[in-house]
């Protein structure tokens, strides 16, 4: 049976992962209306990944004898100032999620829940990848500049397609 403190913290993470998915969905929709097809595709795929994270937490809580909570989620912004601002926000948000996962690990150690700690390691590794991929995009944006948004958008599209192909091969 899962420790109630851990269950509560994991349920808070369900909410954070759900908000991540909503936030990236809002960014995808905004990018689509701006004609930024590559950015929109990247964000839609990212929103799907966050939904997978959300489900992983829900299923783990239930599997361990707890009860996953599905709560109301705050509304993300509808529009954004620029692509640069959008990716800076994604980066900041992912750093926040990394800190949250680290806090969960620390709580598991304090509560001697080594099973959940072990399970959380997948997320620890995933966060390295998530931060690295956004940081790479921010670098590309710096190099190409705001004046070359079309090229940047195409680049992101190619990057996402290559990642999807690599994932499909690994599956
Ligand atoms: Fe689920 Fe992007 O962290």
């Amino acid at each position: 049976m899962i420790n109630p403190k851990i269950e509560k913290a994991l349920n808070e993470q369900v909410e954070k992962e759900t908000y991540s998915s909503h936030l990236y969905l809002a960014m995808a929709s905004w990018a689509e209306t701006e004609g930024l097809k590559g950015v929109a595709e990247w964000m839609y795929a990212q929103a799907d990944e966050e939904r997978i994270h959300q489900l992983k937490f829900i299923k783990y809580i239930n599997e361990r004898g707890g009860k996953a909570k599905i709560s109301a989620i705050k509304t993300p912004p509808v529009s954004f100032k620029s692509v640069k601002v959008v990716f800076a926000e994604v980066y900041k948000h992912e750093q926040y999620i990394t800190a949250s996962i680290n806090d969960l690990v620390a709580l598991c150690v304090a509560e001697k829940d080594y099973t959940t700690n072990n399970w959380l390691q997948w997320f620890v590794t995933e966060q390295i990848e998530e931060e690295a991929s956004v940081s790479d995009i921010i670098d590309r944006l710096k190099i190409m500049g705001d004046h070359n948004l079309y090229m940047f958008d195409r680049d992101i599209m190619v990057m996402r397609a290559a990642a999807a192909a690599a994932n499909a091969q690994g599956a």
Side-chain angles (χ1 to χ4, degrees):
M1 192 75 177
I2 200 162
N3 165 337
K5 261 196 212 170
I6 306 274
E7 181 183 356
K8 185 173 178 282
L10 291 176
N11 267 318
E12 281 163 12
Q13 193 65 31
V14 169
E15 202 176 322
K16 288 174 191 170
E17 299 292 346
T18 310
Y19 181 72
S20 303
S21 185
H22 268 48
L23 177 64
Y24 299 153
L25 201 55
M27 287 171 170
S29 178
W30 170 79
E32 196 162 64
T33 60
E34 293 289 309
L36 296 159
K37 286 193 175 133
V39 175
E41 256 178 51
W42 194 91
M43 291 293 177
Y44 278 127
Q46 203 59 32
D48 284 347
E49 276 186 27
E50 299 301 350
R51 164 114 172 110
I52 291 168
H53 295 173
Q54 172 210 42
L55 285 176
K56 275 183 191 278
F57 276 97
I58 290 171
K59 291 188 173 177
Y60 180 78
I61 296 165
N62 291 340
E63 199 181 278
R64 301 286 301 152
K67 269 197 170 52
K69 249 175 63 192
I70 314 297
S71 38
I73 300 297
K74 67 175 176 175
T75 308
V78 173
S79 64
F80 302 87
K81 233 168 97 188
S82 66
V83 171
K84 219 187 209 163
V85 167
V86 161
F87 281 104
E89 275 188 33
V90 172
Y91 193 56
K92 209 172 92 193
H93 186 72
E94 286 304 326
Q95 285 179 314
Y96 161 72
I97 296 293
T98 301
S100 175
I101 299 285
N102 287 341
D103 286 347
L104 278 173
V105 169
L107 179 68
C108 288
V109 172
E111 295 292 320
K112 296 193 168 66
D113 182 350
Y114 302 114
T115 310
T116 305
N117 182 12
N118 188 43
W119 180 80
L120 280 169
Q121 295 311 305
W122 184 88
F123 285 94
V124 171
T125 309
E126 176 73 2
Q127 283 311 117
I128 298 173
E129 213 179 283
E130 297 243 310
E131 282 192 30
S133 113
V134 183
S135 169
D136 181 30
I137 291 173
I138 291 172
D139 286 345
R140 286 168 196 241
L141 196 49
K142 263 187 216 150
I143 295 163
M144 293 190 196
D146 282 343
H147 55 278
N148 216 341
L149 267 184
Y150 178 75
M151 286 302 292
F152 169 77
D153 193 56
R154 293 293 297 261
D155 199 44
I156 295 297
M157 204 182 285
V158 171
M159 187 182 159
R160 187 42 101 168
N167 278 345
Q169 249 180 5

